[in-house]
Amino acid sequence: MRVTVTSNTPTARRSERRLVTHAAILDAARSLFREGGYQRTTIRAIGREAGVDPALVIQHFGNKEALFEAASEIDFDLAEALPGPRDELSARVLEYMLTQLDKEPDALLATLRSMLTHQQAAHAARCAFLDDGATKISGVLDGEDAGLRSSLICTMLVGLMVTRHLLKLDDIVQAPTERLIELVEPCLRSLVEPERRLSDHG
Amino acid sequence: MRVTVTSNTPTARRSERRLVTHAAILDAARSLFREGGYQRTTIRAIGREAGVDPALVIQHFGNKEALFEAASEIDFDLAEALPGPRDELSARVLEYMLTQLDKEPDALLATLRSMLTHQQAAHAARCAFLDDGATKISGVLDGEDAGLRSSLICTMLVGLMVTRHLLKLDDIVQAPTERLIELVEPCLRSLVEPERRLSDHG
DNA sequence: GTCTATACCGTGATAGAC
DNA sequence: GTCTATCACGGTATAGAC
């Protein structure tokens, strides 16, 4: 168990206990949703992990959907990587994503884990880094098909998140962040500046 | 319903009927696993879709796991894209993947859909296009980090499969296959030939 | 021999009693 | 704030109908 509320001191005021319980449940939920995805994670298991009765979980969050929503609230905004020299845009975006993910944020990984099999997670993923991320990037690109190219950049980022943090491919997991940036940056660059793509040189 | 066995003619020989039923179940299973993933798809729903009693589903395949395994047998081998001029390797790999996927093969999409939340699907994905695919590609690459670079190529392919065929991002879905090849080929090329990557030119 | 009806047992979500 | 009861559902086994 990662957190239990049994450690609440008897003298703790009720409202404090309530907050601790709330946090413990959220924490347990995030952890389990992250590892197993939405469907395989049960309220009972969340209660167990949090050291709390399953019924209490419902009391705090209403139902499983609402709990998932609360547990998968994401702190990830590609817009933060956009300002700066245009020439280093692809490196900035890539680095932002990799460093955010290297913190292994439970909420974000929970969303990613479930995005293929759960509507709400799919929607959250779009908002966080697919549709919305692409729109943001698209704003600083020019040339033909800026929308499509931005979507492709996001596609590559998602691919990397999936293989590195969910499927955990050996090579990708073990590679140092800097090496990944080195290798992937040219990929993104070719989408940022399609007019300068390699085939024009070779 | 996509297929029912009620259309079996009464005069059909038993063994034929059995085959038809078998195929109908497999077909229904593939279709449902593809759309909903492993956990959300129930034996009962598969039976309904196939116009067959749920118990019969078990009789034919033993259990849900075995049915999934049978339904998600994949016909996809990157090795087919490897032979040929080295200069066009990235284009061949990309085109192979895109054309295979554009046929929307149920079994492959079922595997992809479940790979983040189901062990067996994850394993199948590794065998089909991640670990094994990377190993195969790695064989024809040279230079530093051939293994990592092959894995990254597969990563990009997976990203594309996911956004185009599962999450169905508008831009990516609507883009013609040829345009996708045009835009993504330079990405892969930069991984095939890292020594010639764009940053060396700019 | 092929399929159907039904039942069993576990589990999960949730509501209501304590 | 905790425990227990309920109710639906899912996977699977079995008995018998065709």
Side-chain angles (χ1 to χ4, degrees):
Chain A
M1 284 185 215
R2 56 165 34 195
V3 171
T4 66
V5 289
T6 52
S7 57
N8 284 347
T9 65
T11 57
R13 292 220 324 283
R14 270 193 281 259
S15 60
E16 287 166 355
R17 289 188 54 128
R18 179 115 186 134
L19 283 179
V20 172
T21 300
H22 195 90
I25 294 171
L26 255 185
D27 212 42
R30 265 195 278 265
S31 162
L32 292 177
F33 281 136
R34 166 187 162 169
E35 293 307 324
Y38 182 82
Q39 356 269 334
R40 273 167 50 195
T41 301
T42 69
I43 303 257
R44 280 161 144 96
I46 292 169
R48 219 177 303 132
E49 176 94 355
V52 137
D53 193 275
L56 198 52
V57 175
I58 297 294
Q59 234 186 39
H60 275 257
F61 293 93
N63 58 36
K64 195 181 172 183
E65 277 292 334
L67 173 55
F68 182 76
E69 188 157 15
S72 61
E73 207 162 85
I74 296 176
D75 178 30
F76 183 92
D77 190 351
L78 279 177
E80 294 181 24
L82 299 185
R86 161 66 176 276
D87 191 48
E88 295 154 13
L89 175 65
S90 51
R92 279 200 309 281
V93 167
L94 189 55
E95 185 172 5
Y96 176 77
M97 186 277 275
L98 285 171
T99 54
Q100 287 297 109
L101 266 286
D102 279 354
K103 299 175 196 161
E104 295 268 316
D106 282 343
L108 180 51
L109 290 175
T111 299
L112 281 166
R113 174 77 69 192
S114 298
M115 73 183 167
L116 302 184
T117 47
H118 189 63
Q119 269 310 115
Q120 192 178 302
H123 182 256
R126 284 167 181 278
C127 291
F129 37 75
L130 290 169
D131 287 346
D132 288 7
T135 303
K136 284 167 184 163
I137 295 178
S138 169
V140 303
L141 295 188
D142 37 44
E144 260 183 306
D145 279 337
L148 175 57
R149 282 154 47 215
S150 324
S151 290
L152 285 171
I153 290 173
C154 294
T155 290
M156 303 304 172
L157 296 182
V158 167
L160 213 41
M161 299 189 209
V162 164
T163 55
R164 186 168 165 95
H165 296 275
L166 301 180
L167 295 174
K168 300 189 200 282
L169 296 203
D170 276 354
D171 283 339
I172 311 272
V173 171
Q174 279 158 25
T177 305
E178 305 76 39
R179 183 68 179 132
L180 284 178
I181 295 180
E182 237 174 70
L183 283 170
V184 177
E185 190 275 337
C187 293
L188 301 192
R189 180 179 292 263
S190 73
L191 289 162
V192 170
E193 311 169 345
E195 66 280 5
R196 299 176 60 202
R197 66 179 180 273
L198 262 181
S199 51
D200 294 345
H201 295 276
Chain B
M1 287 184 209
R2 59 165 33 193
V3 172
T4 66
V5 289
T6 52
S7 57
N8 285 348
T9 65
T11 58
R13 291 221 324 285
R14 271 193 281 254
S15 61
E16 288 166 355
R17 287 188 55 127
R18 181 99 182 147
L19 284 178
V20 172
T21 301
H22 195 88
I25 294 171
L26 256 186
D27 212 43
R30 266 195 276 266
S31 161
L32 292 177
F33 281 136
R34 166 187 163 168
E35 293 307 323
Y38 183 82
Q39 355 268 335
R40 273 167 50 195
T41 300
T42 69
I43 302 250
R44 285 165 146 93
I46 292 169
R48 217 177 304 132
E49 177 92 356
V52 137
D53 192 275
L56 196 53
V57 175
I58 297 292
Q59 230 186 43
H60 274 258
F61 294 93
N63 58 37
K64 193 180 174 184
E65 278 291 334
L67 173 56
F68 181 77
E69 189 158 13
S72 62
E73 208 163 85
I74 296 175
D75 178 30
F76 183 92
D77 190 350
L78 279 178
E80 294 182 24
L82 299 184
R86 161 67 175 276
D87 191 47
E88 295 154 13
L89 176 64
S90 50
R92 280 199 309 280
V93 167
L94 189 55
E95 185 172 5
Y96 176 76
M97 186 278 275
L98 285 171
T99 55
Q100 287 297 108
L101 266 286
D102 279 355
K103 300 174 196 160
E104 295 268 317
D106 283 343
L108 180 52
L109 290 175
T111 298
L112 282 166
R113 175 76 69 192
S114 298
M115 72 182 170
L116 302 184
T117 47
H118 189 63
Q119 270 310 117
Q120 192 178 302
H123 182 256
R126 283 167 181 279
C127 291
F129 38 74
L130 291 168
D131 289 344
D132 289 6
T135 303
K136 284 168 185 163
I137 295 178
S138 168
V140 303
L141 295 188
D142 37 44
E144 259 184 306
D145 279 337
L148 175 57
R149 281 155 45 217
S150 325
S151 290
L152 285 171
I153 290 173
C154 294
T155 289
M156 303 306 172
L157 295 182
V158 166
L160 213 41
M161 298 189 210
V162 164
T163 55
R164 185 168 166 95
H165 296 274
L166 300 180
L167 294 175
K168 299 188 201 282
L169 297 203
D170 277 353
D171 282 338
I172 311 274
V173 170
Q174 279 158 24
T177 305
E178 306 76 39
R179 183 68 179 131
L180 284 178
I181 294 179
E182 237 175 69
L183 283 171
V184 177
E185 191 274 338
C187 293
L188 301 192
R189 178 179 293 263
S190 74
L191 289 162
V192 170
E193 312 169 345
E195 66 280 6
R196 298 176 61 203
R197 66 178 181 275
L198 262 181
S199 52
D200 294 345
H201 295 275

